[in-house]
Amino acid sequence: MAVVTACWFASWTATPLLVVAFWLSRRHPALARAGRWAGWIATVPPTVTILLTLGL
């Protein structure tokens, strides 16, 4: 249950910040690689939360 709570909290805090980082990095070619990583990592907390919740 602690993992679900931590992932749920990350879904509301880290995911929006990572999405903003992704969008801001699109304007700077030097940050493109970091932006792609931020975009992919932003999907992890909501996905893990949903999968773990369905398994309860």
Side-chain angles (χ1 to χ4, degrees), residues 1-34:
M1 194 64 180
V3 175
V4 174
T5 304
C7 288
W8 178 77
F9 183 72
S11 295
W12 288 99
T13 56
T15 300
L17 295 174
L18 288 168
V19 170
V20 168
F22 168 72
W23 281 105
L24 291 176
S25 69
R26 293 179 69 201
R27 296 181 185 171
H28 303 285
L31 299 175
R33 187 172 183 172

Side-chain angles (χ1 to χ4, degrees), residues 16 19 48 51 54:
V19 170
V48 170
L51 292 175
L54 290 175

